[in-house]
Amino acid sequence: MSPSSTGVKPERHSSMRPKIGRILAAGAVALLCLTAAGSPASAASQVPVTGAGSTWSSNAFEQWIGDVNQYGIRIDFAATGSSDGRTQFKNGTVDFGVSEIPYGVTDNGAYEPPPSRPYAYMPIVAGGTSFMYHLHINGQQVTNLRLSGPVIAKIFTGNITKWNDPAIASDNPGIILPGEPIVPIVRSDGSGTTAQLTTWMSKKYPDLWNPYCAKAGRVTPCGITSTYPVVTGSGFIAQQLSTGVAGYITQSQSEGTIGYVETSYADQQGYPVAKMLNAAGYYVAPTAQNVAVGLTAAQINTDPTSPNYLTQVLDGVYANPDNRAYPLSSYSYMIIPTTLQAPMTANKGFTLGKFAYYFLCEGQQSMGDLGYSPLPINLVQAAMDQVKKIPGVAVQDIDIKKCNNPTFDPSGKNLLAVTAPRPKPCDQFGVTMCPDPTGGAKNPTYVAAGPAPITTPAPHDTKPGGGHTPGPTKSSSGPPSPGSPQTSATGTATPTSGPTGGPTSGTHQSAAPTSAGTSHTPGPAGNVPAASASPGGGSGGSGSDSIIGDGGGGSGQGQQQVAVGPQPRAVPVSLAVSTGWTLQDTLMVLAVVLLLLVTLAPPLLSRRLGRRRP
């Protein structure tokens, strides 16, 4: 199914494939063809190859397929979802499959056995599972939404149901979100994207995920699932494929929706994605650089004899202490045949091998422009070793350092992870948020000036076994003196004195304001002073004192205390701070001039007339 069939309009920008990229691609493919012609496999011919699976990585596949089509390499890929891709490969109806999760996983109590045909996994591209949304305030699109892990988990388990929930407000100081319902958009088909989200929730927030699964009639503990459970009457809307999720969110009547897709879909549609709070206490977007940083903590099975060779364990990614890391970063795999068993033939293996050599090297260049993150050098090298297992392949001895992959560093490190910029001070938890747009959105969301509310959050990440990682942090510089100016995320200096807001809920205690957007400059990972934290579980979105607690859906016992300092006046986002000369200024000047005329003109006129009398 193509994106256009579901209302999603794919775009191909010239910037995605620069001229130099096309020249290098042409040279690489030509070199492969010449080498193959002089090899023992020269008698092989190119024939169409079929595959099915992941929509998460389908935009990357479309790019690669278009790139090699001009060289007579025909790849027919159906983006039918990861579960269907694994099933079709297992049943022998396609030559290769694409999935974000391997075989052998127990889903809703059912074990998925591996196929009988010999196979191997091969990483193909990295990316971030992002939260695309459709939200306006007074007619202006919100493009800088920030969400913490507990809030995301509560949204997708039905525990937070309104956009103005105090927990979301705590993530987004500086904008006043509307009180309309949140409409989660989930996948109706078996999906690797769903598996990535549910794996994260099952490991980080089992106290939220398992009760939700039980309500949906699932076996608990729920664990990972490819098909998202939907509770009747919950207001969740299920759509088929990533194109269906993205297409539904972009409709004009879809105000208040939020769904999970690979970042590429939001980029294509010009829609924003939420910045996600990481373990260092910063909200980060799923950019190619932040994904690369996040995946430096991934554990890869490096045992060539293992049936799960080159598959990933992402627990370290979820808790990566680098303040640039995007927590929901992962890889996608191609499932390739390793023997000549139907439907695979030597000619198909020859063609599939040429395609794989291309996208592992030259094809990675365009991934950043598409919303993905290119594979690092270690996984490209390991994947090329897997390509050699494809029957009929013309084995290429490629100099990995000449692969022109944008992640390759001469020392072997991931260049994107090394050069990734640090987040801005206004991306830190507890300060007025940055106005910068995310994903494919272009217009900033202007935030209110003035100090942001200070909260004392409970630790925001829960480790398996009940332990806690350090919670979000605040500025190390301390509160400013009363009446001293502050700089907001928009760069406007405002006094700290002024109207103060009341408590967001329940009991509160006063606290000094923090500088909005002027906290300490981020340093190395983990080098952030810890904020005090009170114990407590969440309220399950019931509107009680829980602001960013990591518990879930509980009765409210152990609720945290919220310290609220001076807050900005409740200015709707579309009426936020303005700069320069305004109509009000003009009217005031005119009023002063009129007052002077009324006051001074009569006596002056009387004197002048008096002088003229005989």
Side-chain angles (χ1 to χ4, degrees), residues 451 477-486 494-497 512-515 566:
S477 60
S481 59
S484 62
Q486 293 185 329
T494 58
T496 58
S497 60
T514 185
S515 174

mmCIF file of all heavy atoms in Angstrom, residues 451 477-486 494-497 512-515 566:
data_model
loop_
_atom_site.group_PDB
_atom_site.id
_atom_site.type_symbol
_atom_site.label_atom_id
_atom_site.label_comp_id
_atom_site.label_asym_id
_atom_site.label_seq_id
_atom_site.Cartn_x
_atom_site.Cartn_y
_atom_site.Cartn_z
ATOM 1 N N PRO A 451 8.809 34.112 34.763
ATOM 2 C CA PRO A 451 9.365 32.905 35.356
ATOM 3 C C PRO A 451 8.432 31.723 35.198
ATOM 4 O O PRO A 451 7.222 31.870 35.182
ATOM 5 C CB PRO A 451 9.526 33.275 36.842
ATOM 6 C CG PRO A 451 8.491 34.333 37.058
ATOM 7 C CD PRO A 451 8.425 35.105 35.769
ATOM 8 N N SER A 477 22.170 27.733 39.244
ATOM 9 C CA SER A 477 22.552 29.090 39.585
ATOM 10 C C SER A 477 21.737 29.678 40.725
ATOM 11 O O SER A 477 22.059 30.736 41.245
ATOM 12 C CB SER A 477 22.398 29.979 38.343
ATOM 13 O OG SER A 477 21.060 29.955 37.900
ATOM 14 N N GLY A 478 20.674 29.026 41.150
ATOM 15 C CA GLY A 478 19.856 29.516 42.242
ATOM 16 C C GLY A 478 18.858 30.540 41.774
ATOM 17 O O GLY A 478 18.938 31.068 40.674
ATOM 18 N N PRO A 479 17.881 30.860 42.611
ATOM 19 C CA PRO A 479 16.847 31.807 42.205
ATOM 20 C C PRO A 479 17.387 33.225 42.158
ATOM 21 O O PRO A 479 18.272 33.603 42.920
ATOM 22 C CB PRO A 479 15.796 31.652 43.300
ATOM 23 C CG PRO A 479 16.564 31.175 44.494
ATOM 24 C CD PRO A 479 17.667 30.334 43.964
ATOM 25 N N PRO A 480 16.870 34.054 41.260
ATOM 26 C CA PRO A 480 17.302 35.439 41.197
ATOM 27 C C PRO A 480 16.716 36.238 42.348
ATOM 28 O O PRO A 480 15.746 35.836 42.983
ATOM 29 C CB PRO A 480 16.739 35.909 39.846
ATOM 30 C CG PRO A 480 15.538 35.041 39.639
ATOM 31 C CD PRO A 480 15.878 33.728 40.259
ATOM 32 N N SER A 481 17.303 37.374 42.624
ATOM 33 C CA SER A 481 16.787 38.225 43.688
ATOM 34 C C SER A 481 15.474 38.842 43.261
ATOM 35 O O SER A 481 15.225 39.034 42.080
ATOM 36 C CB SER A 481 17.802 39.332 43.999
ATOM 37 O OG SER A 481 18.055 40.104 42.837
ATOM 38 N N PRO A 482 14.579 39.152 44.240
ATOM 39 C CA PRO A 482 13.276 39.721 43.897
ATOM 40 C C PRO A 482 13.427 40.995 43.081
ATOM 41 O O PRO A 482 14.237 41.860 43.382
ATOM 42 C CB PRO A 482 12.649 40.008 45.267
ATOM 43 C CG PRO A 482 13.352 39.072 46.195
ATOM 44 C CD PRO A 482 14.735 38.949 45.672
ATOM 45 N N GLY A 483 12.620 41.073 42.027
ATOM 46 C CA GLY A 483 12.611 42.256 41.196
ATOM 47 C C GLY A 483 13.672 42.267 40.120
ATOM 48 O O GLY A 483 13.675 43.150 39.264
ATOM 49 N N SER A 484 14.606 41.287 40.119
ATOM 50 C CA SER A 484 15.618 41.269 39.075
ATOM 51 C C SER A 484 15.019 40.747 37.798
ATOM 52 O O SER A 484 14.121 39.933 37.803
ATOM 53 C CB SER A 484 16.788 40.367 39.504
ATOM 54 O OG SER A 484 16.338 39.050 39.681
ATOM 55 N N PRO A 485 15.508 41.221 36.639
ATOM 56 C CA PRO A 485 14.905 40.790 35.379
ATOM 57 C C PRO A 485 15.271 39.360 35.043
ATOM 58 O O PRO A 485 16.316 38.868 35.443
ATOM 59 C CB PRO A 485 15.501 41.771 34.353
ATOM 60 C CG PRO A 485 16.810 42.179 34.956
ATOM 61 C CD PRO A 485 16.570 42.189 36.437
ATOM 62 N N GLN A 486 14.406 38.721 34.287
ATOM 63 C CA GLN A 486 14.664 37.380 33.788
ATOM 64 C C GLN A 486 14.525 37.388 32.281
ATOM 65 O O GLN A 486 13.876 38.252 31.711
ATOM 66 C CB GLN A 486 13.676 36.377 34.368
ATOM 67 C CG GLN A 486 13.853 36.172 35.865
ATOM 68 C CD GLN A 486 12.931 35.087 36.348
ATOM 69 O OE1 GLN A 486 11.858 34.904 35.812
ATOM 70 N NE2 GLN A 486 13.337 34.364 37.353
ATOM 71 N N THR A 494 11.875 40.264 31.573
ATOM 72 C CA THR A 494 10.671 40.586 32.330
ATOM 73 C C THR A 494 10.995 40.547 33.803
ATOM 74 O O THR A 494 11.841 39.775 34.249
ATOM 75 C CB THR A 494 9.553 39.576 32.038
ATOM 76 O OG1 THR A 494 10.023 38.277 32.368
ATOM 77 C CG2 THR A 494 9.132 39.607 30.586
ATOM 78 N N PRO A 495 10.333 41.361 34.624
ATOM 79 C CA PRO A 495 10.615 41.347 36.063
ATOM 80 C C PRO A 495 10.055 40.101 36.711
ATOM 81 O O PRO A 495 9.089 39.514 36.246
ATOM 82 C CB PRO A 495 9.900 42.614 36.557
ATOM 83 C CG PRO A 495 8.798 42.820 35.561
ATOM 84 C CD PRO A 495 9.351 42.364 34.243
ATOM 85 N N THR A 496 10.671 39.710 37.832
ATOM 86 C CA THR A 496 10.188 38.539 38.537
ATOM 87 C C THR A 496 8.936 38.838 39.323
ATOM 88 O O THR A 496 8.183 37.931 39.668
ATOM 89 C CB THR A 496 11.269 38.014 39.491
ATOM 90 O OG1 THR A 496 11.619 39.056 40.398
ATOM 91 C CG2 THR A 496 12.489 37.583 38.725
ATOM 92 N N SER A 497 8.727 40.103 39.676
ATOM 93 C CA SER A 497 7.527 40.431 40.420
ATOM 94 C C SER A 497 6.341 40.498 39.492
ATOM 95 O O SER A 497 6.486 40.624 38.298
ATOM 96 C CB SER A 497 7.705 41.782 41.113
ATOM 97 O OG SER A 497 7.934 42.796 40.155
ATOM 98 N N ALA A 512 10.915 29.969 45.313
ATOM 99 C CA ALA A 512 11.452 31.053 44.491
ATOM 100 C C ALA A 512 11.398 30.640 43.046
ATOM 101 O O ALA A 512 11.451 29.476 42.704
ATOM 102 C CB ALA A 512 12.889 31.354 44.902
ATOM 103 N N PRO A 513 11.292 31.634 42.166
ATOM 104 C CA PRO A 513 11.243 31.315 40.740
ATOM 105 C C PRO A 513 12.588 30.893 40.225
ATOM 106 O O PRO A 513 13.622 31.203 40.804
ATOM 107 C CB PRO A 513 10.801 32.639 40.101
ATOM 108 C CG PRO A 513 11.295 33.675 41.056
ATOM 109 C CD PRO A 513 11.174 33.076 42.414
ATOM 110 N N THR A 514 12.563 30.203 39.112
ATOM 111 C CA THR A 514 13.804 29.855 38.430
ATOM 112 C C THR A 514 13.911 30.670 37.161
ATOM 113 O O THR A 514 12.917 31.106 36.615
ATOM 114 C CB THR A 514 13.838 28.350 38.081
ATOM 115 O OG1 THR A 514 15.112 28.048 37.516
ATOM 116 C CG2 THR A 514 12.780 27.982 37.070
ATOM 117 N N SER A 515 15.092 30.846 36.693
ATOM 118 C CA SER A 515 15.292 31.630 35.472
ATOM 119 C C SER A 515 14.721 30.894 34.300
ATOM 120 O O SER A 515 15.013 29.737 34.077
ATOM 121 C CB SER A 515 16.786 31.870 35.251
ATOM 122 O OG SER A 515 17.020 32.500 34.023
ATOM 123 N N PRO A 566 6.110 32.231 41.555
ATOM 124 C CA PRO A 566 5.467 33.194 40.676
ATOM 125 C C PRO A 566 5.338 32.629 39.271
ATOM 126 O O PRO A 566 6.280 32.063 38.745
ATOM 127 C CB PRO A 566 6.444 34.387 40.702
ATOM 128 C CG PRO A 566 7.187 34.230 41.991
ATOM 129 C CD PRO A 566 7.295 32.764 42.217
#
